[in-house]
């Protein structure tokens, strides 16, 4: 400020002095006034320049001018720079925050007091079939019209969630998507809606209930039979032959229960166990020999005329994995073929390498076959095509579920082909990584 006053006075004095020197002494004051007016004009021009720059583009402010206007420009520049930085930082923070909500697997919708959408993430938009930009400010109840949800939103009682079918169902999914939605009020009357896809959870729940019901049913049947026999033995005077017949039937039923429990234990072990080892190799020849032994014994045991059994091995190979599991899967497929093919029928077991290097163990039979609608369900737990026939043969309906599990654990698959009246072909296909030629081992060893 003193600088301004000093320059102002200096300008007046210089004006007065010039007038005094070039004109007369009486012109001194006129010269001083003219000097002061010149200073004021110059000052106004600089102020106007600063104003013009600020109106257009603040970044064009002079970096460091002289005098009060230069100082002012510098200070304004500093304040504006700080403000810009703050705005940029809070914008970046908001973007990061929104990106985090976008990445959430749950849907998030922010709703204003009137129930209009203020913001929603992609997940919610997909679940509701709405456009996250175009549908902003739309009433949510107009877009999600499920009566249970509309009533829930209007109730202002959000202590629990509401479960509905998702308004937008993804194409190619035959199961409807189930959504659990819960509103959480915030900042007065604003609301945040969280949605969660609970389809898998509900499916698992249904499967668990079905499983418990199936197991109970499977155990109850032989148990009822056993209880009946016990009662008969207790209440009726029976001769020795009848007694031994009843005891034989009772032994059969208890054996059935034992098999069921063993199969259930096998399944739960398969589910909980670590993946099968890759370094443990077993020759296919040994696995096939065991199958053959078991198969011939079973065939003799259940039929008088037996089956025409054949075993072939196109390549000498070794398999890596849990040998007990592999053996169990192979025996399971063979025992099915023998049990479901009437005596005199043919059962052909073969091992071969597929053109892509994978290994295939197959069991073909000339049994009754399975119609197409049953094939996809054969590997479900307790699924049997013909319950009475399976009962006769003592099956629990868990065999193929176990085989499929073992195949998957080894990175392979179970293939089923069947024609009613002609026979079936069950094949266990193992990936390249789990198959190697047996000769290579002896060379390496
Ligand atoms: N080779 C086959 N020929 C015809 N039907 C078959 C054959 N293999 C399986 N099935 C059908 O598939 C159903 C399921 O087989 P799975 O091996 O899972 O159960 P199971 O044989 O009934 O009982 P488990 O094997 O547990 O003793 C059988 O009940 C049977 O109806
Ligand atoms: Mg079976």
């Amino acid at each position: 400020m003193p600088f301004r006053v000093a320059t102002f006075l200096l300008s007046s004095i210089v004006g007065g002095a010039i007038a005094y020197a070039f004109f007369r002494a009486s012109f001194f004051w006129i010269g001083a006034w003219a000097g002061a007016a010149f200073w004021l004009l110059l000052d106004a021009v600089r102020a106007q320049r600063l104003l013009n720059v600020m109106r257009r583009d603040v970044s064009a402010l002079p970096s460091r001018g002289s005098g009060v206007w230069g100082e002012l420009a510098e200070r304004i520049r500093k304040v504006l720079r700080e403000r810009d930085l703050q705005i940029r930082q809070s914008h970046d923070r908001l973007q990061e925050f929104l990106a985090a909500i976008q990445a959430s697997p749950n849907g998030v919708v922010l709703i204003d007091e009137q129930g209009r959408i203020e913001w929603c993430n992609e997940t919610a938009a997909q679940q509701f079939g709405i456009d996250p930009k175009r549908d902003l400010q739309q009433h949510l109840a107009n877009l999600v019209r499920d009566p249970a949800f509309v009533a829930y939103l209007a109730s202002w009682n959000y202590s629990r969630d509401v479960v509905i079918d998702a308004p937008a169902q993804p194409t190619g999914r035959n199961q409807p998507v189930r959504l659990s939605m819960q509103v959480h009020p915030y900042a007065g009357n604003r609301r945040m809606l969280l949605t969660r896809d609970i389809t898998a959870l509900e499916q698992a729940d249904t499967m668990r209930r079905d499983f418990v019901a199936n197991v109970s049913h499977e155990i109850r049947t032989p148990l009822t039979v056993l209880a009946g026999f016990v009662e008969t033995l207790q209440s009726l005077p029976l001769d020795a032959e009848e007694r031994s017949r009843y005891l034989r039937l009772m032994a059969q039923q208890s054996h059935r229960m034992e098999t069921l429990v063993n199969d259930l234990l096998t399944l739960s072990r398969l589910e909980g166990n670590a993946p099968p080892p890759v370094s443990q190799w077993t020759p296919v020849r040994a696995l096939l020999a065991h199958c053959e032994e078991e198969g011939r014994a079973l065939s003799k045991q259940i039929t008088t005329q037996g089956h025409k059994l054949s075993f072939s091995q196109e390549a000498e190979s070794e398999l890596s994995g849990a040998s007990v599991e592999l053996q169990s899967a192979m025996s399971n497929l063979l025992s099915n073929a023998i049990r479901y093919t009437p005596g005199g029928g043919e059962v052909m077991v073969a091992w071969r390498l597929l053109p892509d290097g994978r290994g295939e163990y197959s069991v073909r039979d000339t049994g009754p076959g399975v119609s197409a609608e049953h094939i996809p369900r054969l590997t479900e737990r307790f699924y049997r095509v013909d319950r009475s026939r399976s009962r006769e043969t003592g099956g629990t309906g868990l065999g193929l579920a176990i085989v499929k599990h073992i195949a998957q654990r080894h990175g392979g698959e179970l293939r089923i082909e069947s024609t009613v009246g002609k026979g079936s072909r069950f094949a266990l296909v193992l990936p390249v990584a789990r198959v190697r030629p047996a000769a290579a081992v002896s060379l390496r060893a």
Side-chain angles (χ1 to χ4, degrees), residues 109 117 124-125 127-130 138-151 153 162 164-168 179 181 193 195:
V109 187
I117 303 173
Q127 289 166 343
F128 295 162
I130 62 175
Q138 294 285 329
H139 282 273
L140 184 59
N142 290 344
L143 301 172
V144 182
R145 288 169 174 273
D146 187 289
F149 174 69
V150 174
L153 198 62
V162 63
I164 64 165
D165 280 349
L179 288 184
M181 321 227 272
L193 171 69
T195 67

Side-chain angles (χ1 to χ4, degrees), residues 146-347:
D146 187 289
F149 174 69
V150 174
Y152 173 74
L153 198 62
S155 72
W156 285 91
N157 174 10
Y158 305 128
S159 53
R160 47 161 205 93
D161 65 338
V162 63
V163 177
I164 64 165
D165 280 349
Q169 297 291 340
T171 42
R173 228 172 109 161
N174 42 13
Q175 274 273 331
V177 171
R178 299 280 290 160
L179 288 184
S180 152
M181 321 227 272
Q182 185 154 20
V183 171
H184 303 271
Y186 73 99
N189 282 340
R190 294 212 144 123
R191 287 165 286 178
M192 176 172 70
L193 171 69
L194 294 183
T195 67
R196 197 158 53 99
D197 183 343
I198 55 162
T199 321
L201 214 69
E202 282 198 349
Q203 264 172 6
D205 212 38
T206 314
M207 268 171 66
R208 189 184 52 77
R209 271 201 305 272
D210 286 355
F211 184 70
V212 172
N214 277 328
V215 172
S216 315
H217 177 79
E218 291 300 324
I219 288 183
R220 200 175 53 196
T221 315
L223 211 57
T224 315
V225 179
L226 263 180
F229 287 148
V230 170
E231 215 177 288
T232 312
L233 285 174
Q234 278 173 334
S235 55
L236 292 181
L238 300 169
D239 58 37
E241 196 189 323
E242 272 176 327
R243 271 179 84 84
S244 78
R245 192 169 70 87
Y246 276 118
L247 286 173
R248 208 173 45 249
L249 290 171
M250 284 167 78
Q252 247 174 33
Q253 294 304 324
S254 68
H255 175 69
R256 200 172 138 68
M257 280 200 282
E258 198 183 323
T259 316
L260 175 69
V261 171
N262 284 341
D263 282 354
L264 285 172
L265 285 176
T266 306
L267 263 179
S268 84
R269 242 195 329 269
L270 287 177
E271 275 170 355
N273 267 9
V278 270
S279 53
Q280 188 186 322
W281 293 88
T282 314
V284 172
R285 185 160 290 281
L287 295 168
L288 282 186
H290 196 262
C291 282
E292 183 166 358
E293 200 181 307
E294 271 184 357
R296 293 201 189 280
L298 179 67
S299 172
K300 269 200 208 107
Q301 189 188 329
I302 60 171
T303 57
T304 40
Q305 59 205 115
H307 296 89
K308 279 181 228 133
L309 296 177
S310 69
F311 293 82
S312 70
Q313 194 181 348
E314 261 181 33
E316 284 291 342
S317 316
E318 288 197 327
L319 299 180
S320 86
S323 58
V324 178
E325 290 179 20
L326 292 169
Q327 183 71 68
S328 150
M330 290 173 160
S331 301
N332 244 309
L333 294 183
L334 178 58
S335 81
N336 272 354
I338 294 173
R339 281 198 282 134
Y340 297 113
T341 304
E346 252 185 274
V347 175

Side-chain angles (χ1 to χ4, degrees), residues 259 263 332-333 335-341 365 367-370 378-380 383-386 389-390 393-401 418 424 426:
T259 316
D263 282 354
N332 244 309
L333 294 183
S335 81
N336 272 354
I338 294 173
R339 281 198 282 134
Y340 297 113
T341 304
D365 65 52
V370 179
L378 287 186
T379 53
E380 283 176 25
Y383 191 83
R384 299 156 183 136
V385 177
D386 178 350
R389 179 151 52 108
S390 209
T393 60
T396 59
L398 290 173
L400 290 178
S418 193
S424 319
F426 288 75

